[in-house]
Amino acid sequence: MRAITLSGNTLSGGGIYFRALGTIVDCNIEGNSSTYLGGGIYVNVPMTLMDRCTVVGNTADSGGGGIYLRGASLDLRNCLVASNSAISGSGIFIYNTSVIPIYNCTFVSNLFQFGNTCNNGDLQNNIIESLTVSSGTTVTGYNNCLPSLPGVGEWNNTIVTTNNLDFVGFADSAAGNYRLTPESPCVNAGNDQLEWLKDSWDLDRHRRIDRVYGLPDIGCYEYLPGGTLFGLR
């Protein structure tokens, strides 16, 4: 599934209900709702790739306003998950899942929750405004920007915002613009050891690896400095 917009739907898995392997690339899942689970997306298959997508303004009456995973794994990259709502896990709710690779995404105005039986969570280069990690889970994080350091899991090179969203340095979060300013601590602060990053693009279709510093930014957008780049030889 590529380059489509899904909005205004009302089902379980309001925008997308995945029961088979697939990919979701360059899509907008916005303004959908579910009377139960997965307002934007419901996934219950072993592995699905979602890259350069927006999941914004979806609702669910129970769990997973934006994304709900049950016994499934979603390889989530370069995505914006914002302003979704549900009783629990308003951004993304993960239940009974063994592998959760989530890279270079931005989660804002959501509650990000791991279910009690979730294991082997792999979070790298993400901006997460609100994070709940349940006891009994195994979660490893590298180069994430978080409101505080969770008591559960292994966290490496974490930028802690002390619950101050302004600290992240968004261009205009009130207007839904979550691109980074040059003062943001997330610029050139990502982990560059992920093999897929070499040929990856951010949500604006800019290369993830900085041509000057050779480093990715944290979050779904790369900051692009102004000016002219000269090559001398």
Side-chain angles (χ1 to χ4, degrees):
M1 184 179 296
R2 288 179 176 269
I4 64 172
T5 295
L6 296 166
S7 64
N9 300 290
T10 305
L11 294 167
S12 183
I16 303 173
Y17 189 101
F18 257 92
R19 300 186 65 179
L21 298 179
T23 60
I24 314 169
V25 181
D26 294 325
C27 292
N28 302 313
I29 298 95
E30 302 179 359
N32 302 285
S33 63
S34 169
T35 55
Y36 186 36
L37 300 166
I41 304 171
Y42 188 122
V43 184
N44 65 353
V45 291
M47 176 61 77
T48 294
L49 170 65
M50 186 170 176
D51 193 3
R52 297 191 307 271
C53 294
T54 61
V55 183
V56 177
N58 303 283
T59 62
D61 288 353
S62 183
I67 303 170
Y68 181 80
L69 308 181
R70 182 181 179 89
S73 182
L74 179 64
D75 190 342
L76 195 63
R77 306 176 184 178
N78 306 308
C79 291
L80 173 65
V81 182
S83 302
N84 302 284
S85 63
I87 293 174
S88 59
S90 60
I92 183 169
F93 189 99
I94 301 171
Y95 176 74
N96 194 25
T97 301
S98 59
V99 180
I100 313 99
I102 300 179
Y103 307 135
N104 286 93
C105 292
T106 298
F107 294 85
V108 283
S109 302
N110 305 295
L111 172 65
F112 186 92
Q113 180 173 341
F114 283 89
N116 288 327
T117 55
C118 168
N119 298 302
N120 303 325
D122 181 15
L123 279 71
Q124 302 196 42
N125 302 348
N126 301 292
I127 297 173
I128 305 172
E129 180 186 0
S130 179
L131 175 63
T132 299
V133 181
S134 301
S135 176
T137 65
T138 302
V139 181
T140 303
Y142 289 89
N143 300 68
N144 295 288
C145 181
L146 307 176
S148 59
L149 198 61
V152 176
E154 176 187 343
W155 302 95
N156 304 276
N157 304 321
T158 305
I159 297 174
V160 177
T161 68
T162 62
N163 295 293
N164 179 7
L165 197 61
D166 291 336
F167 176 84
V168 181
F170 289 129
D172 190 351
S173 57
N177 184 354
Y178 300 107
R179 294 168 182 82
L180 302 175
T181 62
E183 297 80 17
S184 171
C186 298
V187 173
N188 294 328
N191 175 23
D192 65 344
Q193 299 304 305
L194 299 168
E195 185 65 26
W196 65 270
L197 277 171
K198 295 178 182 178
D199 299 312
S200 180
W201 306 77
D202 76 348
L203 193 54
D204 279 337
R205 301 286 295 181
H206 298 134
R207 289 196 176 275
R208 290 257 53 156
I209 299 298
D210 186 289
R211 289 190 297 170
V212 177
Y213 297 99
L215 295 168
D217 295 345
I218 296 175
C220 62
Y221 295 109
E222 287 288 320
Y223 169 72
L224 294 183
T228 303
L229 181 65
F230 293 95
L232 301 177
R233 59 180 179 178

